[in-house]
Amino acid sequence: MFGRTRQALVAVFTIALALALSSAGGPALAQGRAMSANDAQASDAQASAAQVNAAQAGDLQAYVDAMQPGWNLGNTFDSTGPDETSWGNPRVTREFLQKLRAQGYRSIRIPVTWFQHMGPAPDYTIDPAYLDRVEQVVDWALQTGFYVMVNMHHDSSTWVIEMPAKHDEVLAKYRAGWTQIAERLRDKPDRLMLESINEPRFSGDWNADAPEYFRWLDELNTSFHQIVRDSGGRNADRPLVLPTLTGSPSQARLDELKKTIDTLHDNRIIATVHYYGYYPFSVNVAGGTRFDDAAEQDLTDAFDRVHDTLVAAGIPVVLGEYGLLGFDKFTGTIEQGEKLKFFEYLGYYARQRHITTMLWDNGQHFDRVAYRWRDTDLYDVMRTSWVARSSTASSDLVFVGKGAAPADQSVTLNLNGNRLVRIEYADRVLRAGRYYVLDGDRLTFRAGLLASLTEGGAYGTNAVLTARFSAGSTWKFEVVVVDRPMVRAATGTSGTFAVPTAFNGDRLATMEAVYPDGSNAGPANWTSYKEFGASFVPSYDTGEIRLLPAFFAELDDGVVHLRFHFWSGEVVDYTLTKQGTSITGAPTE
């Protein structure tokens, strides 16, 4: 998520727990499917009905329910450059918003960074042309049928963060900005919401709960509330959105936000938090390669806190952003099946706890030019989670050794209340009993089936088996032919070093780095397992594992032992020697 500041959740994840994670967990752009016309009409009717009911009942929870699901127009107006295309996305068009609406989304968050379009003190005048453009896109979104949220976005990390040293200046600029924004948008329909500030913080420490931080955030939120309400028009009772400190769902920060909301005595306030997953899993560090019990519990606990503190007290909540932090690099930092399990469970449990969700999309999910999903399986899982559960499995990878006679292979299904209906290969339905056996939740693929699917013997994915269930999305198993990966000696520099690698069909899960005395080497030295995409990245096309400059920047001179863990379960050792910027490496004997 380029342009989105990563929340440094690693400090919340304690060092003691990190050290307890000891392994990678073992082996283990097609056209997106839009809603049909009937689906879209039904969705519009349901949303309209919910909106009417909410207005009649004065029930803000019904309003927030009608927003589900939501989507973020990321890396667009939130860019800190001169215009909405500065971070690589195209200009927003009415057609794009219509195409997005057809995917089933009912609400859109439009993050906006204002500071580079504001004049000097004391007026801090916002460039009228920029306000015009933001208003134009807001109007298009409203006309398309969306609930719309507009905020101050990266202003939080560029100048609001200076509030400790420049309190009066920051507050004056903040108030001037919101006075102009509120005035411009005062007469828009109440499907427009205003959000005070994105992920507010007052230092580089994302995890500090200093009393003054809570006091300053309360001051910002209450100032915003007063400015918008006093601006009149429809702003007098427009739904307003207030965040926790840094957008975190920690208990202390939820409690402080609730105090602020309680003192406002306003039943048109929505609370917002963000969630990017259990840190080791979210970025693939500390061996957190799987959506395991720890990752699931972290999500469950976070959403339970949000529900028990706010929703149960009558304060609706929007999960204003969600995703995985590893996507800052690219979506492949998290293995496909594990990624799908995370999104499936998040959608399900948010629904259980009455939390409306808004996907963070900086352009990497829904293609804004081709109007299609880059990962249709991910979209299918998310879409299903809005109304039901999908079935998953312990893995989506079935490995067969090259040249070896395959044996029966089993996986555990996570049925999630569904039942297996059939398994398909290409255009064939496979016969149960002959090709596979289901015993409770244990699915076993017969050796004969695996042999026939891999008889060509080519490395990599030889077949994809599709499991269909009584409800929800399909689950795909890749049948992958592999041999032990081989690495070779290399020389280079800390800026351009790569380990020549014959992957032989396998896929890299994670990498460990330790010094000869057994102590952890490199960045994140609270764990031996380094961060995927930050310290290392595989390049399957060029046959190498690239060790990145950030890894060497925190590496001492001398010998370092690397251990590459692959998804098949294979482990390959490699030895580096670093002398200044000079790097040599060779397979460990």
Side-chain angles (χ1 to χ4, degrees):
M1 289 166 288
F2 175 74
R4 216 206 73 77
T5 304
R6 170 186 302 192
Q7 294 199 30
L9 303 176
V10 64
V12 175
F13 171 68
T14 66
I15 292 176
L17 181 57
L19 295 176
L21 296 172
S22 60
S23 73
L29 241 282
Q31 178 69 37
R33 200 176 69 219
M35 298 178 71
S36 69
N38 290 338
D39 286 342
Q41 290 170 0
S43 177
D44 286 337
Q46 291 168 358
S48 298
Q51 183 183 351
V52 170
N53 291 339
Q56 291 175 343
D59 183 356
L60 195 62
Q61 183 63 56
Y63 177 103
V64 170
D65 290 344
M67 292 169 57
Q68 176 68 0
W71 184 90
N72 273 270
L73 185 66
N75 284 21
T76 306
F77 290 103
D78 53 315
S79 76
T80 56
D83 67 18
E84 69 202 83
T85 67
S86 299
W87 285 353
N89 280 314
R91 282 178 62 86
V92 180
T93 64
R94 187 192 297 269
E95 181 185 19
F96 164 73
L97 293 170
Q98 292 168 344
K99 295 292 186 180
L100 178 69
R101 183 70 180 85
Q103 309 305 305
Y105 288 95
R106 294 177 176 172
S107 59
I108 183 170
R109 182 171 179 252
I110 304 178
V112 184
T113 299
W114 300 92
F115 77 90
Q116 72 273 40
H117 303 282
M118 297 175 76
D123 296 330
Y124 300 105
T125 302
I126 299 173
D127 180 1
Y130 189 66
L131 260 176
D132 288 346
R133 176 58 178 158
V134 171
E135 182 181 20
Q136 180 182 50
V137 173
V138 167
D139 286 341
W140 287 346
L142 289 167
Q143 291 159 11
T144 304
F146 283 110
Y147 289 78
V148 181
M149 187 185 300
V150 171
N151 72 354
M152 274 192 179
H153 203 75
H154 289 304
D155 301 272
S156 60
S157 59
T158 51
W159 58 272
V160 174
I161 195 173
E162 298 177 340
M163 200 166 186
K166 302 178 180 179
H167 174 275
D168 293 351
E169 178 183 335
V170 166
L171 188 60
K173 187 172 183 177
Y174 179 82
R175 291 182 62 87
W178 270 117
T179 297
Q180 295 169 79
I181 299 164
E183 175 63 27
R184 175 62 72 97
L185 302 177
R186 67 193 296 271
D187 294 320
K188 303 300 179 187
D190 73 353
R191 281 185 293 110
L192 172 67
M193 293 151 278
L194 301 178
E195 177 188 11
S196 63
I197 191 75
N198 174 71
E199 295 181 352
R201 60 192 175 97
F202 305 101
S203 76
D205 185 353
W206 286 79
N207 302 290
D209 285 336
E212 60 269 26
Y213 294 175
F214 293 127
R215 185 173 67 252
W216 291 327
L217 177 56
D218 177 78
E219 189 172 14
L220 292 175
N221 279 335
T222 54
S223 294
F224 160 79
H225 178 265
Q226 175 258 319
I227 290 165
V228 176
R229 288 289 180 252
D230 288 353
S231 65
R234 293 189 174 180
N235 284 346
D237 62 356
R238 181 178 307 286
L240 301 181
V241 183
L242 303 184
T244 60
L245 187 67
T246 73
S248 165
S250 74
Q251 189 61 59
R253 298 179 186 192
L254 293 168
D255 289 341
E256 290 294 330
L257 177 59
K258 185 175 184 300
K259 289 178 186 177
T260 294
I261 294 173
D262 287 345
T263 62
L264 293 175
H265 303 292
D266 186 336
N267 64 4
R268 302 287 283 174
I269 301 294
I270 299 166
T272 187
V273 297
H274 296 172
Y275 187 75
Y276 282 95
Y278 180 57
Y279 187 80
F281 173 71
S282 186
V283 301
N284 191 348
V285 73
T289 57
R290 293 183 180 274
F291 184 64
D292 58 11
D293 290 345
E296 181 177 313
Q297 193 63 54
D298 186 83
L299 188 157
T300 301
D301 290 346
F303 288 12
D304 283 349
R305 289 192 301 270
V306 169
H307 175 272
D308 295 348
T309 307
L310 298 170
V311 179
I315 301 169
V317 176
V318 170
L319 191 67
E321 295 180 15
Y322 74 94
L324 290 167
L325 293 174
F327 290 177
D328 281 343
K329 308 298 188 301
F330 60 102
T331 58
T333 56
I334 315 298
E335 195 275 330
Q336 177 72 0
E338 304 304 316
K339 176 197 315 175
L340 296 180
K341 285 185 276 188
F342 167 80
F343 281 93
E344 193 282 328
Y345 187 73
L346 184 147
Y348 155 72
Y349 205 68
R351 188 160 41 85
Q352 294 298 108
R353 305 315 270 161
H354 303 287
I355 300 169
T356 286
T357 60
M358 306 189 86
L359 175 70
W360 180 262
D361 188 350
N362 61 13
Q364 65 194 177
H365 295 309
F366 187 64
D367 189 316
R368 302 185 194 179
V369 176
Y371 303 142
R372 62 187 182 186
W373 291 91
R374 301 181 193 277
D375 184 341
T376 56
D377 292 333
L378 175 59
Y379 171 58
D380 285 345
V381 163
M382 290 191 297
R383 186 183 180 195
T384 298
S385 76
W386 304 337
V387 294
R389 293 214 68 175
S390 291
S391 301
T392 63
S394 55
S395 180
D396 61 340
L397 301 173
V398 178
F399 291 101
V400 175
K402 184 174 179 64
D408 288 356
Q409 292 210 39
S410 298
V411 296
T412 300
L413 296 180
N414 307 309
L415 290 167
N416 296 330
N418 302 323
R419 58 182 175 81
L420 179 66
V421 173
R422 64 183 182 272
I423 296 178
E424 302 169 354
Y425 169 60
D427 58 352
R428 292 191 296 137
V429 175
L430 301 182
R431 187 185 307 168
R434 179 176 179 183
Y435 295 112
Y436 67 92
V437 175
L438 181 63
D439 181 8
D441 61 359
R442 185 177 179 82
L443 174 64
T444 300
F445 295 108
R446 294 293 200 190
L449 170 66
L450 299 178
S452 66
L453 294 175
T454 60
E455 61 184 355
Y459 285 130
T461 300
N462 280 224
V464 176
L465 304 176
T466 301
R468 295 191 181 274
F469 301 88
S470 54
S473 302
T474 61
W475 182 264
K476 295 177 181 176
F477 296 96
E478 292 186 56
V479 181
V480 186
V481 172
V482 296
D483 206 346
R484 179 175 172 79
M486 303 296 292
V487 293
R488 301 194 308 277
T491 60
T493 70
S494 55
T496 58
F497 186 83
V499 178
T501 307
F503 290 96
N504 294 336
D506 217 334
R507 303 175 190 183
L508 187 62
T510 188
M511 179 189 84
E512 287 186 89
V514 297
Y515 294 115
D517 65 1
S519 61
N520 300 326
N525 61 8
W526 45 273
T527 176
S528 63
Y529 291 88
K530 303 297 99 176
E531 183 179 337
F532 198 113
S535 287
F536 68 95
V537 65
S539 175
Y540 300 107
D541 291 340
T542 58
E544 59 189 10
I545 299 172
R546 296 171 185 162
L547 303 184
L548 303 178
F551 172 67
F552 291 112
E554 298 189 43
L555 201 66
D556 295 342
D557 281 357
V559 173
V560 179
H561 298 300
L562 304 183
R563 175 163 286 180
F564 298 111
H565 295 259
F566 292 84
W567 279 103
S568 70
E570 290 285 358
V571 176
V572 175
D573 292 333
Y574 197 79
T575 300
L576 288 180
T577 301
K578 177 177 181 284
Q579 189 62 47
T581 60
S582 178
I583 311 294
T584 60
T588 302
E589 294 296 334

